Amino acid sequence: MLYNYSLQTKKESFHNITSYAQKSVSISEVKNGLCVIFCPHTTAGITINENADPDVVKDMLYGLEKAYPDRKEFQHFEGNSSAHLKATAVGSSVTVIIENGKLLLGTWQGIYFCEFDGPRTRKFYVKILSQ
């Protein structure tokens, strides 16, 4: 089963989309299997990280900006090469185990849509695979 979602993003931001993935699992009625969350954009990504302390998201955005700053030497005409680099580093998908109808995430884990080139209207897909 494939589910698609859209969201409005800010310039650079992380959006907790865990509830969208769990909703897809619940609707699918799959009890055991896999949940794949995929981003079809080249300047955004998907990651799993801590969802308890909002400062973690701030620190991740800060760290990615320091690791992949805009540079005058970049030649891409759209001027968003650093967003492409960040998206490549983060990745475009995650896979989570479904056990007893629930996402098997750690206590402090959440699934995030990572925007590096907003604001934009973005989409992402959730694919549920039954065991």
Side-chain angles (χ1 to χ4, degrees), residues 1 24-34 98-102 128-131:
M1 290 136 267
S24 299
V25 171
S26 297
I27 292 169
S28 76
E29 299 182 353
V30 168
K31 297 302 176 202
N32 297 292
L34 295 174
I98 301 167
E99 188 71 24
N100 298 318
K102 302 284 184 200
I128 307 298
L129 304 165
S130 181
Q131 182 176 344

Side-chain angles (χ1 to χ4, degrees), residues 94-109:
V94 297
T95 302
V96 181
I97 296 168
I98 301 167
E99 188 71 24
N100 298 318
K102 302 284 184 200
L103 295 170
L104 193 59
L105 291 167
T107 302
W108 309 112
Q109 287 184 317

Side-chain angles (χ1 to χ4, degrees), residues 80-129:
N80 60 355
S81 289
S82 63
H84 288 283
L85 289 164
K86 293 169 190 172
T88 296
V90 167
S92 59
S93 68
V94 297
T95 302
V96 181
I97 296 168
I98 301 167
E99 188 71 24
N100 298 318
K102 302 284 184 200
L103 295 170
L104 193 59
L105 291 167
T107 302
W108 309 112
Q109 287 184 317
I111 304 165
Y112 288 92
F113 184 96
C114 309
E115 174 62 70
F116 302 117
D117 194 31
R120 299 243 193 273
T121 301
R122 297 293 200 173
K123 59 184 172 181
F124 63 94
Y125 298 101
V126 178
K127 178 76 172 181
I128 307 298
L129 304 165

Side-chain angles (χ1 to χ4, degrees), residues 2-3 6 9 14 19 23 25 29 31 36 40 43 47 55 62 76 97 110 117 119-120 126:
L2 180 66
Y3 303 89
S6 64
T9 64
F14 279 30
S19 62
K23 175 182 172 184
V25 171
E29 299 182 353
K31 297 302 176 202
V36 179
T43 57
T47 194
D55 286 337
Y62 176 78
H76 182 43
I97 296 168
D117 194 31
R120 299 243 193 273
V126 178

